Amino acid sequence: MKIFNLLDNESAKYLQLAESVKTNIRKGNLLPGDTLPSVKTLSDDLHLNRHTIMKAFAELIAEAWVESKQRVGYKVGANIPIEGSLKQLKSHDKQTKFKFRLIRSGTSIDSPPATQYEYNFSGGQPDLFKFPFKEFKQHMSATLTRPNLEQLSYGEIMGVPELRLQVKTYLRQSRAITNREVIITNGSQEALFIIAQLLLQEGDQVAVEALGYPPAMAVFNNAGADLVAIKQDQLGIIPTDLEQKIQNGSIRLIYLTPLHQYPTTVTLPIARRMAVYQLAVKYRIPIIEDDYDHEFHYRCQPLAPMASNDPQQLVIYLSTFSKIMFPGARVGILAVNKTLAKAVAEYRMIISHKGNALMQLALAKWMKEKGFERHLKRMTRTYMARREHAIKCLEQYNLFEFTCPDGGMALWVKLKNTSINTSKLAAMARHKGIYIQHEKQYQTVPQCNRNHYLRMSFASMPESKFSDGLSILVNLINTKAEVLA
Ligand SMILES: Cc1ncc(COP(=O)(O)O)c(C=O)c1O
């Protein structure tokens, strides 16, 4: 039987042969004690010099894969622990069952991602076709041409100093956030995860908006906490409801998206922000402020984050480059006080040592040379035009109700025909190549009878695609209303 093959790579032939022997042992094709073909046979089969075969065997003997027996030849080593393990597995035809520790994420990774649909209305995704990859490549290339070997090694857990400096300056100039340590994380999701692990215990409660961002909810659940939904109206969360729930429970953390409430896009007014902050001070509860798309505000200057006026240092500020660049960049921002920053860095060390230094260095250069700022201006103009277009399109049909948001990347749209179940509509739309999210997906605590809203991104697609996708959706609403009830 001819089971050895050369691997057809660039390594020396004897190493290729040795690797092939190892692979056959690992797979269980050869068991301990099995005799290997003679040097002559292998030399004839593989058209290799005998010397090369002997060298391969010498290598295998040195690593104890093979033993040499006088007058018998070469045999697979008797003490290889891999010993037929795969064969045994096959015979029982079983998969190892792992015991999982607490996992209460509730998220599924089975369905195809939004980007695989022809019409991607997924709220909050940037238009990746508009990213200046060529320009960014120059900064990547410069980073690789003159690599800073120290930065490409371990250390600098909080992010490369160049990027932390750029981000610090950016936060100060654009959001009035000062006096904080900036940590660059692998997306803001990693920052959320670490904060939840550091601050929450099993059985703690986290106050969240009644409609919220599912990955954040998953993080809190995963840390063992229970969610307490705070009522919200057309202005955002209601502080009196928050106070009542603080008094009646064991809330240890408040999670908010004050600038563009996720998913409703409403901006929490100053008076409510102050009321929430005062509650946080009174009951000593930290607030996570997730400022995920601060840049995209169109009607006026966005309100400064709560973190910009936080004398008690209770606000844990999060932001991300996922919207400005692309989610795969995995660059998130955490701005917190020194003590928390140290604890986060220590925890992060356990998870992943550090972030992607190459990406961070290239991004720092891009920011320093103002490419980032130019891109931001371009995209703000683009998204503003797309928002206008989306509004006009929706207004054409007498099917929807919505408030025009001051910013963000999506619209929160109510179907006038409230007998239509938007979960069913979203499911049916998928068969037509449309990815769209519905109210039920955002309910932090399920509310059975409410399912009237859709979240429609206007940012991720050009105007013509939005119109086409919407007309397919409208057709479904008009023709399938009965099935969708
Ligand atoms: C509310 C909210 N927070 C954070 C993020 C970004 O997360 P990340 O930085 O992990 O990509 C998003 C992205 O959709 C979001 O909607």
Side-chain angles (χ1 to χ4, degrees), residues 124 187-189 213 255 257 262 290 292 320 322-323 327 330-332:
S188 52
Q189 188 69 15
Y213 178 54
Y255 170 80
T257 47
Y262 191 100
D290 185 351
Y292 60 99
T320 179
S322 290
K323 315 285 184 180
R330 302 317 297 141
V331 184

Side-chain angles (χ1 to χ4, degrees), residues 10-54:
E10 307 229 304
S11 58
K13 293 273 187 276
Y14 79 96
L15 288 176
Q16 294 184 34
L17 174 58
E19 197 50 48
S20 172
V21 174
K22 288 182 208 172
T23 305
N24 276 290
I25 296 173
R26 281 195 202 99
K27 283 186 177 169
N29 295 338
L30 290 168
L31 297 177
D34 279 358
T35 306
L36 293 167
S38 70
V39 173
K40 180 178 180 319
T41 312
L42 284 172
S43 163
D44 292 345
D45 283 354
L46 300 171
H47 308 291
L48 289 177
N49 185 304
R50 288 186 190 199
H51 226 74
T52 307
I53 312 284
M54 306 272 285

